[in-house]
Every structure is written in C-alpha cells, then in structure tokens.
C-alpha cells in the first residue's frame, strides 16, 4: 500500500509553491499526495496578482472526502488566508489523530501577503496546539509571538521554546532569513534543542516554494513512519539539493522555483 500524505494549502498558478510544490515534493520522496485547496492564487515568479478564497463548505467537503477514503498518515497545512478558513480546517481535523505539519504561510517570496493580519491570532490559538511540528521562518515566528525577528541562534531557540509553550509539540525554526555563510534550522521540542541542521548558504534568487517544499517533505517522511528528527533530516537534505539544482530550471523572470525532481531529471 502506498504511503499517503495530504496537503491543505493554496494553489500557485506558477507551479513553484503551494499545493503544486507540496505534491511535487511528496512525489519525489515516494509518497502519494492528496490535496485540499483553500485558495486560488494568480501567481508567477514575480508577484501574486489575485487571491480567491475557496468557500469553507467546499474546503470542509474536500477534507471529509479525502479522510473518509484514503489512509492519510500525515497532513501538511499551508496557506489558509482568513480566520474563517483556519477555523474551518481546525474543526474538520478535530478527530484526526496522525501527524500534522503546520507551515504558517504569511508572505509570498514576492513579498505579497498570503495571510490576513486578523488571522494570525486564530492561527496561533486554533492550529498551533494541533501541530506535531510547526515550521516557521524567522519573520513568521516573530509575528506569531508579537516579537522582533530573531537575529541569533539563542534568540531562535528562545522563540522556538515560546512557540512550543503555545501548544506546538515541536518547532523547526528555519534560518533562511538569517545572515551568515551557514544556514541553520533548529528543531526544538520539550523545552530543548533536539537537533540542528546546517548547510552552506546558497546564493541564488531561485528559492520560490522553499518553505512549502520543506514542510511537505517533512510530512512525507512522517507518512512513511519516520520519527520527527529523521523526517526533518531527510527533508532538509532533499531541499538543499533542490536549491542547488534550482538554477538549472530557469523558470520565470523573478524568484524561480527549486528543482523538486532533481534526483530524476535535469533541465
């Protein structure tokens, strides 16, 4: 039987982030991906030009249809856009007992907002307590806590612990927005650092969809039965290689996507 993961997120018409990136990452890692679309974006590598939220009854119906039939062993939650959609997803997953990866999508790589400001509190209150692992970048972590963005590893750890105190079972503090030649992602659980994942910082503009791809890759690992540290390690290695190969694609004129299928074909 195939390992199955579900992504609940927005659609990226450019194919580099959102639902499209999620399904690519899951497939590349040997997991069957199902999807629930929460919003439709008109988007390319340069900008998000329109967003249309899916009605909450349709979102709930998608979730019910998938979970009623498929043996979903992990769920990744991405773009939810509004308080109503967050509440809808939280209610639909009340009886779901497997792993949930929450990626608190707030800003697109182009700088366009993907989460309404009034939705931050709802996300914090309704979904953080359901997260097996939360995967914020540094600005997202700061926004959830109402604090300044972390500028050091110690501050990253302090904010990760604070997010765990809000209910998340584990937090992966992503260091992509930090400075320095080495990028560090710090996994925190139970009030302590569980693991640190380091890689040389890669200088490329083609990083569209990195957050979506990493969180989906983690969900893929969890769906395959990996423990969290192992799933994060596999996802981190996969994403770093996808970034390394990103310039091969030459897609679009802005922030191009990572190469999700780098193990299988080259441009």
């Amino acid at each position: 039987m195939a390992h199955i993961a579900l992504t609940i997120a927005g659609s990226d018409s450019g194919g580099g982030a959102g639902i499209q990136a999620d399904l690519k990452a899951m497939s590349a890692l040997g997991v069957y991906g199902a999807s629930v679309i929460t919003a439709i974006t008109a988007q390319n590598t340069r900008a998000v030009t329109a967003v249309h939220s899916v009605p909450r009854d349709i979102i709930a119906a998608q979730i019910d249809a998938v979970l009623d039939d498929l043996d979903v062993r992990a769920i990744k939650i991405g773009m939810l856009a509004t308080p109503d959609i967050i509440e809808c997803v939280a209610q639909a997953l009340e009886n779901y007992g497997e792993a949930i990866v929450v990626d608190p999508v707030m800003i697109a790589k182009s700088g366009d907002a993907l989460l309404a400001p009034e939705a931050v509190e709802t996300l914090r209150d309704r979904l953080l307590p359901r997260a097996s692992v939360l995967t914020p970048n540094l600005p997202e972590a700061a926004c959830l806590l109402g604090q300044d963005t972390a500028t050091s590893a110690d501050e990253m750890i302090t904010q990760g612990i604070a997010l765990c105190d809000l209910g998340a079972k584990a937090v992966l503090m992503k260091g992509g927005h930090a400075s320095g030649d080495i990028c560090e992602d710090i996994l925190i659980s139970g009030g302590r650092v569980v693991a640190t994942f380091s890689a040389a910082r890669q200088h490329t503009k083609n990083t569209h969809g990195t957050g979506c791809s990493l969180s989906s890759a983690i969900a893929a690992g969890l769906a395959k039965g990996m423990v969290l540290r192992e799933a994060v390690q596999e996802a981190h290695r996969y994403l770093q290689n996808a970034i390394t190969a990103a310039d091969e694609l030459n897609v679009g004129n802005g922030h191009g996507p990572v190469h999700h299928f780098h193990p299988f074909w080259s441009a």
Side-chain angles (χ1 to χ4, degrees), residues 1-247:
M1 181 180 294
H3 302 293
I4 302 174
L6 168 65
T7 168
I8 302 174
S11 170
D12 172 6
S13 55
I19 286 283
Q20 287 80 358
D22 297 343
L23 294 176
K24 290 174 184 178
M26 291 172 179
S27 296
L29 290 169
V31 170
Y32 180 91
S35 63
V36 169
I37 297 176
T38 61
I40 300 167
T41 70
Q43 184 175 171
N44 55 30
T45 64
R46 293 178 299 189
V48 179
T49 58
V51 176
H52 173 71
S53 295
V54 174
R56 58 179 295 168
D57 60 326
I58 301 300
I59 295 173
Q62 291 178 81
I63 295 173
D64 290 345
V66 172
L67 296 184
D68 183 58
D69 184 44
L70 278 61
D71 185 18
V72 175
R73 294 305 177 94
I75 294 176
K76 172 262 173 78
I77 299 175
M79 177 187 175
L80 298 182
T82 68
D84 274 355
I85 292 176
I86 295 169
E87 185 63 37
C88 169
V89 170
Q91 290 179 9
L93 296 181
E94 281 183 350
N95 296 319
Y96 182 74
E98 304 290 346
I100 297 178
V101 181
V102 177
D103 185 26
V105 175
M106 297 181 181
I107 303 292
K109 194 68 66 180
S110 60
D112 297 287
L114 297 176
L115 181 72
E118 64 271 19
V120 174
E121 182 178 359
T122 310
L123 178 64
R124 183 172 57 236
D125 294 345
R126 293 292 283 136
L127 284 183
L128 259 65
R130 296 300 315 280
S132 303
V133 59
L134 179 74
T135 62
N137 60 36
L138 299 188
E140 290 164 348
C143 183
L144 286 168
L145 292 168
Q147 299 178 1
D148 293 333
T149 302
T151 58
S152 68
D154 286 345
E155 290 179 356
M156 289 171 66
I157 293 168
T158 298
Q159 290 192 352
I161 292 172
L163 289 168
C164 286
D165 290 342
L166 291 176
K169 295 182 180 63
V171 176
L172 181 66
M173 293 288 291
K174 300 181 298 190
H177 284 73
S179 58
D181 294 332
I182 302 298
C183 178
E184 289 192 337
D185 295 346
I186 303 174
L187 181 62
I188 297 161
S189 182
R192 65 182 182 87
V193 175
V194 174
T196 299
F197 305 91
S198 301
R201 191 174 299 279
Q202 303 190 55
H203 299 287
T204 174
K205 68 174 183 176
N206 297 319
T207 55
H208 185 51
T210 48
C212 302
S213 303
L214 180 65
S215 55
S216 296
I218 294 170
L222 295 173
K224 290 189 286 189
M226 295 179 178
V227 298
L228 179 58
R229 179 173 178 167
E230 183 183 10
V232 174
Q233 184 172 30
E234 179 185 71
H236 182 268
R237 180 170 53 248
Y238 165 77
L239 181 63
Q240 290 303 314
N241 289 333
I243 296 172
T244 298
D247 290 352

